[in-house]
Amino acid sequence: MNEEVSAQAGGAGRRPPPPRHLRVPSPPQRGAGSGQASPLPAAPAALSRRLGPQEETRALREGRSGMGPWPRGAGRPPRRLLPLLLLLGLARGVTGAHGVDGVDICATCHEHATCKQREGKKMCICKYGFVGNGRTQCIDKNECQLGAAVVCGNHTSCHNTPGGFYCICLEGYRATNNNKTFIPNDGTFCTDIDECEVSSLCGQGGRCVNTHGSFECHCGDGYVPKSGPEPFHPTRDATSCTEIDCGTPPEVPDAYIVGNYTSTLGSQVRYTCKEGFFSGLEDTVSSCTALGTWESPRLNCQEIITEINALSVFNNTCVRWQINPGRINSTTVYVVHIVGHRVDPVESVHEQTVNLTTDSRSPAVCLDLYQGTNYTVSVSTAPPRRSVPAHIGFQTAGGRDSAGETDIKEDLSEDDGIFNISIFNEACLKLNRHSRKVGSDQIYQFKIVGRRGYLNDFYHAVSFNFTMGERASVVCLDLYPATDYTVNITLLGSPEPHSVQVMITTAPAAKQTISDISIFNETCVRWRNRKIAGIEEMYLLHIQGQRWYQKEFAHEVTFNVTTRSQAPEMCLDLRPGTNYSVSIQALSSARPAVISLTTQITEPPLPEVDFFTVHGGPLPRLRLRKAQESNGPISSYQVLVVPLALQSTFSCDSQGAASFFSNASDANGYVAAELLARDVPEEAMEIAVGDRLYYGKYYNAPLKIGNDYCIILRIISEWNKVRRCSCAVWAQVKDSSLTLQQMAGVGLGSMAVVIVLAFLSFLAA
């Protein structure tokens, strides 16, 4: 260029010829038709010096850049020269430190560009995060425009900055680098925060359940939500968990509650009819339910009106009667009122009241009466029973001596062997004998047999002798609860057989007979019975199961089990991943024992996949179907890419598979995609392996061409700190090639190249 400036300054020289590769024929000269070529016009004096940076930029914009404009009158360049001129202009953009005109390229770089030297030439390149030509334009590249899930991964927000960006985890998640902001190129991703690690987060009675990005509270067994919805969040809702209290049990007309009771979940009360009333076979138990209310009792008590018939006298001082048949055997208290009058030798009155307790339908009682006396006897039932009193009048036997006086002496040696039995305190018998023999001892034989209608093999038999010399004596029997007994009492040594039979039904035990109830082997329950070993007992088991993650799920079973063991054990057929309440009640006891247990989850159902094999062709899209939560809550679905050689040794429960960017991922396999269960629709969805998108924290990288892979679908179930998986081989890929999307991209790129080449050929023509 210095030579060029010097030549023009002297005015004697001429412009040196252009290089050979730019030499073109001279355009024809206007005017004279001379065939001689006119010399090229000299370069303008304005461009014969070194341009400043701003002038250089302006020249570049005007298309000059050290070359003069096409000479006026020289005509437009031939169309076949346009490609060459285009290439020349591009070449000038990548010249050395100085162009042909001596321009300093580095001085013209944009403020957001750097000057770099490649192959001996300097050029302006926009800095990272900017795009443009490096000289006149470098604008910020908005990386976040692709979406936070693509750039930063799931559960993130993307924030653009001049020349860069940063990522922040959404609420409920934290970055694995433990910083507030991160860039995902180092493998950092957002993971869920388990808020439930903080104890008492849900308050008393609350149960914390971790969810993706948050948590929710449920009320535990025996508690109900109050003042808000369920599930609830303690910072958002006013819900609290209160212990279930069913309050006072409902009243049953003409009935009362037997024993003590509590009003918490699972508590039971037992009703029985009051005296003077009876019930059929209705259920006499009401339970406190999970709704905080008592079950409606079905007991119906009907009033008993006793009809006393056929009142008669036997053995001079004994009376008997009969009552109307009732629906059940019931112990009744009778009131026998005696009024006696005797005139000779002195007028006197004998008045007495005797109570008789018996369940016999033909009661009898022997009275201590005076000889030769006129008596009136009335028999009625004691309250609260009602009856129509029966009356009878008679005179007791007696005689006069030779002087005409009444003989009132008693034959002290007489003993007719008659006696009667009354029942009190359920298992105690009172013997009243009719004997005038002072100080005589009599032996009575007791034979007791007890049966339970709900136990075929239950049999309680006792036999003993009892000696008594008094007119009345009491015997209390050791009987089992909830048992029907027949008691036969026979007088031994009497010339005539005398025996009495009474029926006794003992009530269920008011105290708890089950203790030390516990769970073993997850679904088995054991307990101890405080009763005597070797006695057969029937237990009623009531099982209720619920799942927090399946509101519609309910598993309820009721059954009986009979055993003689004092420490029974029972393994239950329970569903996995379920909260259960187990109630165990001995039928001889009025109170059940309740225990709660939680079954662990098991492997989720095997994935439903359409298996296929690909040999060298494109990999089709994979169809993902949602699985049923039959064995526990499903957390996520994963797509794994494993070298085909490792398929036989792959463990579905392995947690070693990492993301594509982890070390040695190509040799050991990697997780290509992870979808949360809640993000999988009920209908099947499709996934393309190698689509270069983020699924969760995992990058779905393209498969390497020519390698053999095994594509595996894994279903993960996590609950109560237990993780279970099930896997199925989705596809086997041998000699992998481009995916359909990649092939489409290559095809479009090839078409673009063909179009450009065709356009350049057209211009050259």
Side-chain angles (χ1 to χ4, degrees):
M1 178 173 288
N2 293 334
E3 295 177 356
E4 182 180 355
V5 174
S6 301
Q8 292 191 14
R14 60 182 180 89
R15 186 183 183 93
R20 293 183 178 273
H21 63 279
L22 293 181
R23 185 170 296 175
V24 295
S26 300
Q29 196 175 25
R30 292 186 181 181
S34 173
Q36 295 181 352
S38 172
L40 290 175
L47 291 181
S48 61
R49 59 180 177 86
R50 178 174 299 199
L51 301 179
Q54 295 181 353
E55 294 174 316
E56 173 69 12
T57 301
R58 190 180 305 110
L60 290 173
R61 290 177 179 175
E62 295 175 357
R64 293 181 281 122
S65 185
M67 294 181 60
W70 193 263
R72 290 187 178 182
R76 298 183 59 84
R79 295 178 59 186
R80 63 177 179 270
L81 296 182
L82 289 179
L84 296 178
L85 295 176
L86 177 61
L87 292 176
L88 179 61
L90 293 176
R92 290 184 60 85
V94 293
T95 55
H98 300 280
V100 294
D101 296 328
V103 178
D104 186 0
I105 299 298
C106 294
T108 64
C109 291
H110 194 273
E111 61 176 332
H112 295 307
T114 59
C115 187
K116 294 186 178 181
Q117 183 171 347
R118 294 181 179 177
E119 298 180 357
K121 299 177 181 179
K122 292 186 178 181
M123 59 185 67
C124 297
I125 300 177
C126 292
K127 296 179 181 178
Y128 179 82
F130 296 89
V131 292
N133 57 20
R135 300 182 72 181
T136 63
Q137 187 181 48
C138 282
I139 61 175
D140 176 55
K141 177 184 179 182
N142 185 6
E143 293 86 354
C144 296
Q145 65 182 352
L146 298 177
V150 176
V151 178
C152 299
N154 288 338
H155 319 301
T156 62
S157 61
C158 183
H159 302 267
N160 188 60
T161 61
F165 71 98
Y166 63 90
C167 304
I168 296 179
C169 293
L170 299 179
E171 183 179 1
Y173 296 86
R174 65 172 180 83
T176 54
N177 64 357
N178 296 321
N179 294 328
K180 184 176 181 181
T181 63
F182 67 94
I183 303 297
N185 58 4
D186 61 350
T188 301
F189 59 92
C190 293
T191 184
D192 176 59
I193 299 174
D194 188 359
E195 295 86 354
C196 295
E197 292 180 351
V198 179
S199 60
S200 304
L201 189 63
C202 295
Q204 182 180 2
R207 177 171 55 87
C208 181
V209 177
N210 187 53
T211 61
H212 291 284
S214 185
F215 69 97
E216 59 186 20
C217 296
H218 299 256
C219 290
D221 296 335
Y223 291 83
V224 292
K226 181 181 179 181
S227 304
E230 185 188 24
F232 62 92
H233 198 286
T235 61
R236 180 186 65 241
D237 305 311
T239 308
S240 61
C241 294
T242 60
E243 188 174 11
I244 292 177
D245 187 353
C246 291
T248 304
E251 294 185 357
V252 175
D254 303 314
Y256 64 94
I257 295 174
V258 179
N260 299 324
Y261 66 89
T262 59
S263 57
T264 57
L265 178 64
S267 300
Q268 290 186 329
V269 294
R270 185 178 296 275
Y271 296 88
T272 188
C273 292
K274 298 178 180 178
E275 286 292 331
F277 298 85
F278 75 95
S279 64
L281 300 178
E282 295 90 352
D283 190 0
T284 62
V285 175
S286 176
S287 300
C288 178
T289 67
L291 299 177
T293 58
W294 291 97
E295 294 176 341
S296 179
R298 292 176 293 205
L299 182 65
N300 183 22
C301 296
Q302 300 172 356
E303 185 179 10
I304 301 174
I305 300 179
T306 305
E307 297 180 8
I308 301 175
N309 303 311
L311 180 60
S312 61
V313 179
F314 68 99
N315 291 342
N316 194 28
T317 61
C318 299
V319 292
R320 66 164 63 96
W321 62 93
Q322 294 182 348
I323 62 173
N324 59 301
R327 294 182 61 184
I328 60 172
N329 292 332
S330 178
T331 301
T332 306
V333 179
Y334 297 92
V335 178
V336 182
H337 186 65
I338 307 165
V339 178
H341 295 274
R342 187 171 61 178
V343 178
D344 190 16
V346 181
E347 182 177 358
S348 63
V349 177
H350 178 207
E351 187 173 0
Q352 185 180 2
T353 299
V354 177
N355 290 337
L356 173 66
T357 303
T358 180
D359 61 355
S360 174
R361 298 188 183 278
S362 300
V365 61
C366 292
L367 307 172
D368 187 12
L369 305 179
Y370 296 154
Q371 296 291 321
T373 305
N374 296 320
Y375 281 96
T376 299
V377 178
S378 66
V379 181
S380 62
T381 58
R385 292 185 181 270
R386 293 197 303 161
S387 67
V388 178
H391 305 274
I392 190 173
F394 62 94
Q395 184 182 29
T396 56
R400 297 177 181 268
D401 57 13
S402 59
E405 295 180 354
T406 302
D407 184 7
I408 61 175
K409 295 181 180 179
E410 297 181 356
D411 184 2
L412 299 180
S413 65
E414 180 183 356
D415 191 346
D416 55 15
I418 298 175
F419 64 95
N420 65 286
I421 303 294
S422 60
I423 304 173
F424 67 98
N425 291 343
E426 187 179 74
C428 293
L429 305 178
K430 184 177 182 181
L431 282 75
N432 298 284
R433 72 176 186 169
H434 183 262
S435 176
R436 296 182 179 88
K437 192 172 183 180
V438 179
S440 63
D441 290 338
Q442 291 180 327
I443 301 175
Y444 297 87
Q445 184 184 58
F446 285 71
K447 289 186 177 180
I448 306 168
V449 177
R451 302 295 298 268
R452 289 176 177 171
Y454 55 87
L455 294 174
N456 294 330
D457 297 333
F458 181 88
Y459 186 81
H460 181 207
V462 178
S463 178
F464 62 90
N465 293 337
F466 179 76
T467 302
M468 62 177 290
E470 297 82 6
R471 294 281 301 269
S473 186
V474 174
V475 178
C476 290
L477 307 175
D478 185 14
L479 306 180
Y480 293 138
T483 306
D484 299 324
Y485 281 96
T486 301
V487 182
N488 286 287
I489 306 172
T490 303
L491 174 63
L492 301 180
S494 175
E496 295 183 6
H498 294 283
S499 64
V500 175
Q501 182 183 85
V502 294
M503 308 294 294
I504 300 175
T505 299
T506 56
K511 295 183 178 180
Q512 179 62 265
T513 61
I514 296 177
S515 64
D516 300 333
I517 184 171
S518 61
I519 303 296
F520 68 100
N521 291 345
E522 187 177 310
T523 60
C524 298
V525 61
R526 63 163 63 99
W527 65 94
R528 292 191 64 83
N529 194 326
R530 297 173 180 171
K531 295 299 180 180
I532 301 175
I535 300 300
E536 188 178 45
E537 180 63 278
M538 176 180 285
Y539 300 92
L540 174 66
L541 280 81
H542 186 202
I543 304 169
Q544 291 179 300
Q546 294 180 329
R547 291 173 173 172
W548 62 265
Y549 55 91
Q550 283 183 327
K551 299 299 183 182
E552 70 281 1
F553 177 86
H555 183 209
E556 185 170 3
V557 180
T558 301
F559 63 93
N560 296 329
V561 59
T562 303
T563 178
R564 294 180 182 271
S565 173
Q566 203 169 5
E569 295 181 354
M570 176 66 57
C571 290
L572 309 174
D573 184 15
L574 305 180
R575 309 286 176 81
T578 307
N579 296 319
Y580 280 97
S581 173
V582 180
S583 171
I584 305 175
Q585 178 182 359
L587 295 191
S588 63
S589 173
R591 297 181 60 189
V594 181
I595 191 171
S596 299
L597 65 90
T598 298
T599 56
Q600 297 293 352
I601 60 175
T602 58
E603 286 74 13
L606 288 175
E608 296 182 12
V609 297
D610 299 326
F611 174 76
F612 53 85
T613 302
V614 178
H615 293 273
L619 187 63
R621 299 176 67 87
L622 305 177
R623 291 179 60 83
L624 173 61
R625 299 179 178 90
K626 194 165 189 175
Q628 297 295 323
E629 294 181 315
S630 56
N631 299 333
I634 293 178
S635 305
S636 60
Y637 299 79
Q638 286 185 345
V639 179
L640 293 89
V641 177
V642 179
L644 187 60
L646 301 180
Q647 177 181 342
S648 59
T649 59
F650 174 77
S651 175
C652 185
D653 294 329
S654 172
Q655 301 186 30
S659 64
F660 175 78
F661 297 107
S662 63
N663 294 330
S665 62
D666 185 50
N668 300 326
Y670 58 91
V671 178
E674 181 180 53
L675 294 93
L676 302 181
R678 65 185 181 188
D679 297 332
V680 177
E682 296 296 333
E683 301 294 334
M685 63 177 295
E686 293 185 343
I687 298 177
V689 176
D691 60 5
R692 291 187 172 90
L693 297 178
Y694 273 89
Y695 293 87
K697 62 182 178 181
Y698 298 104
Y699 177 64
N700 190 8
L703 302 182
K704 292 186 178 181
I705 299 176
N707 290 1
D708 297 339
Y709 293 102
C710 175
I711 311 299
I712 297 175
L713 175 61
R714 177 162 65 186
I715 300 178
I716 301 175
S717 179
E718 293 179 309
W719 186 53
N720 203 18
K721 298 183 179 180
V722 176
R723 185 177 187 266
R724 295 288 184 267
C725 305
S726 63
C727 296
V729 177
W730 216 343
Q732 288 183 344
V733 182
K734 298 181 179 180
D735 192 16
S736 61
S737 61
L738 300 177
T739 64
L740 293 176
Q741 290 181 338
Q742 292 171 327
M743 294 183 66
V746 172
L748 292 175
S750 301
M751 292 178 60
V753 171
V754 171
I755 292 174
V756 171
L757 293 177
F759 177 73
L760 293 177
S761 299
F762 174 77
L763 293 178

